[in-house]
Amino acid sequence: MSLKLPIYLDNNATTPCDPRVLEEMLPYFAEKFGNAASRNHPFGWVAEEAVDYAREQVAKLVNATPKEIIFTSGATEADNLALKGVFEMYSSKGNHIITCTTEHKAVLDTCKHIEKMGGEIAYLPVKADGLIDLGELEKAITSKTILIAIMYGNNEIGVIQPIREISAIAKKHGILFFTDATQAAGKIPVDVEADGIDLMAFSAHKMYGPKGVGALYVRRKSPRVKVTAQMDGGGHERGMRSGTMNVPGIVGFGKACEICMNEMEAEATRLSTMRDRLEKGLLQMEEAYVNGNTDHRLPHVANISFKYVEGEGLMMGFNKNIALSSGSACTSASLEPSYVLKALGLGDDLAHSSLRFGLGRFTTDEQIDYTIKAITETVLKLREMSPLWEMYKEGIDLNSIEWAHH
Amino acid sequence: MAYSEKVIDHYQNPKNVGTLDKSKQNVGTGLVGAPECGDVMRLQIEVDETTGLIKDAKFKTFGCGSAIASSSLATEWLKGKTVDQALTIDNMDIVEELNLPPVKIHCSVLAEDAIKAAINDYRVKNGLEELVLDEKKH
Ligand SMILES: Cc1ncc(COP(=O)(O)O)c(C=O)c1O
Ligand code: FES
């Protein structure tokens, strides 16, 4: 079988829509186009029924009840709603929120906004492997703390935080626990009951559903959690999120959740086997390092630094044929290397040298073979061109050189 | 970001990658940038003592494709020039030749800095005064 290029290994950024999902969605654009809020005619009923069914599918994936699912435009909105909504709703109890430095920008920037509104945020550091320190978490709690916001699985390094331990600490202190499970839901078992989660954000387009739809889980029982709406209007989603429902998107999200639920176990095994093979293949090269904890990691993610070559230059060697991302500064508008890798204590040089691999449902063994070969060739070629590699090989300590910083 | 054809060509077939003997009197070495910034460039010139012309130039670069292309191009331009002529190479000439977008201008600045650093090294080695170079903005 001939290999089709380019290969997509950036499934943490977004996943392709599964054809089974797309098929389920199609009737809801033109034929069953009703507004789910139209209570008094069949067009509305059909749409409402479809949304109700999807809500069940979504709830089931994470062991929630349908009423606990609030549909949003994605995880960014769900993160905003959870953080700002709790901050407003519980302002009489306190104004302190604990999060960590490796969260997605949708959480970090929302926290920055909350600080401007008078909130106080504690940003926990992470250990060298990307996990938070539970002792530090407990120490950060004050009498004003209303929320702990720690993500489930990290989007850059795939590290899975100790969710159950965190929720136990939250419970012990009577604090709500919110987790951004955008990268974890649908990939590994996420169970809001067993995990003790009070609020949780996730998104369809990271699990083979469509873009522009996601959900916030809001616990209804023990405790009953409430959030102040951040979108005012017609009072949809029990007043917590107004706006006409994105029916085709929601239908697709539901189907995507159902497929993930049915296929998760087999898929996780298949992907982690391929991921491990990819990693092993690439680590044949000297001075290549995996970033983040490898025991507590999403099955489809690998983040590797290839010392002495720069990430963007590296990607240029194969980015016509392999799609992935780099933690290098030069690929981002900010010219700063990945803040997640820096939070692990990685030097800027290693952060600049990193690649993130996100395998997915449609990744094949042939693609992995091709990727190992192409990346190895490029790394070796660029090292021949790298003054740092030459110095390393000559035994020169790079830290002993006085670099001209700009 | 899409790269220009010329950047891609230099990246795929870089000219003059390598190392000259930096202990030689007629070799000047410039090492600029920093690993933390994601770009380090080393550029070397070898001057023919009788003609005063740069007879060889080599580079090694840790950096993005534009940085690699800028240094590759710089070595090509250096060969056959006198040291004084080499001083006139401006980073904007590199930007123009390679069609670098605004966010990649600093890669060309680095190449210009590397040329000047190599020339200064050569001058100091040969008893000439060090040139004071106006800092370009990176
Ligand atoms: C951890 C995490 N949170 C939030 C988001 C944002 O999700 P969405 O694109 O659905 O707004 C992403 C996706 O980039 C993510 O990885
Ligand atoms: S070396 Fe950083 S953008 Fe070129």
Side-chain angles (χ1 to χ4, degrees), chain A residues 312 330, chain B residues 37-39 63-64 66-67 103-104 106-107:
Chain A
E312 183 181 353
C330 302
Chain B
C37 305
D39 36 35
C64 74
S66 306
V103 294
K104 295 292 170 182
H106 78 269
C107 319

Side-chain angles (χ1 to χ4, degrees), chain A residues 12-14 73-79 103-107 151 153-156 180-183 201-206 212-214 356:
Chain A
N12 292 23
T14 193
S73 63
T76 301
E77 188 191 333
D79 286 337
E103 292 291 316
H104 191 269
K105 285 286 182 195
V107 168
M151 73 201 313
N154 184 272
N155 43 302
E156 283 195 41
D180 178 342
T182 307
Q183 296 289 346
F202 51 125
S203 190
H205 77 100
K206 308 281 188 186
V213 56
R356 176 186 77 178

Side-chain angles (χ1 to χ4, degrees), chain A residues 307-310 312-320 329-330 335 337 348-349 352-353 378 381-388 390-391 394 396 398-399 401 403-406, chain B residues 1 3-4 7-14 17-19 22 31-42 59-66 68 103-104 106 110 138:
Chain A
K307 228 175 158 180
Y308 311 113
V309 296
E310 191 276 326
E312 183 181 353
L314 181 54
M315 288 215 296
M316 197 177 157
F318 49 75
N319 64 4
K320 262 202 302 201
C330 302
L335 293 178
D348 278 2
D349 52 341
H352 276 295
S353 302
T378 313
K381 179 180 159 185
L382 289 186
R383 279 181 175 170
E384 283 311 307
M385 250 191 257
S386 165
L388 304 180
E390 187 182 299
M391 291 175 196
E394 285 172 354
I396 297 170
L398 293 178
N399 295 319
I401 295 177
W403 299 103
H405 293 261
H406 17 112
Chain B
M1 191 183 326
Y3 292 95
S4 71
V7 169
I8 293 170
D9 188 47
H10 275 286
Y11 175 87
Q12 281 169 348
N13 309 296
V17 175
T19 309
K22 66 170 184 276
L31 181 67
V32 296
E36 297 81 62
C37 305
D39 36 35
V40 174
M41 219 177 256
R42 191 193 62 202
F59 83 93
K60 281 202 177 183
T61 290
F62 163 86
C64 74
S66 306
I68 290 170
V103 294
K104 295 292 170 182
H106 78 269
L110 207 61
H138 289 233

Side-chain angles (χ1 to χ4, degrees), chain A residues 273-338:
Chain A
T273 305
M274 277 200 280
R275 187 269 316 270
D276 292 347
R277 200 164 64 77
L278 172 70
E279 206 160 77
K280 202 162 153 246
L282 292 172
L283 293 180
Q284 297 286 315
M285 282 183 276
E286 52 183 324
E287 295 297 307
Y289 302 96
V290 175
N291 297 314
N293 190 300
T294 51
D295 295 326
H296 303 280
R297 189 163 55 147
L298 297 171
H300 59 290
V301 185
N303 190 305
I304 307 178
S305 284
F306 301 93
K307 228 175 158 180
Y308 311 113
V309 296
E310 191 276 326
E312 183 181 353
L314 181 54
M315 288 215 296
M316 197 177 157
F318 49 75
N319 64 4
K320 262 202 302 201
N321 296 329
I322 308 171
L324 39 79
S325 22
S326 164
S328 169
C330 302
T331 56
S332 70
S334 71
L335 293 178
E336 277 294 318
S338 153

Side-chain angles (χ1 to χ4, degrees), chain A residues 346-364:
Chain A
L346 246 68
D348 278 2
D349 52 341
L350 272 175
H352 276 295
S353 302
S354 71
L355 295 181
R356 176 186 77 178
F357 303 86
L359 280 61
R361 183 169 290 164
F362 306 104
T363 307
T364 65

Side-chain angles (χ1 to χ4, degrees), chain B residues 115-126:
Chain B
I115 294 173
K116 304 218 150 121
I119 292 174
N120 256 335
D121 182 52
Y122 171 80
R123 286 178 66 94
V124 170
K125 269 185 177 173
N126 289 278

Side-chain angles (χ1 to χ4, degrees), chain A residues 50-78:
Chain A
V51 168
D52 285 348
Y53 186 67
R55 203 185 296 279
E56 276 175 37
Q57 291 170 309
V58 172
K60 217 165 164 186
L61 174 69
V62 297
N63 194 25
T65 60
K67 280 191 174 156
E68 294 173 310
I69 299 297
I70 297 172
F71 285 117
T72 66
S73 63
T76 301
E77 188 191 333

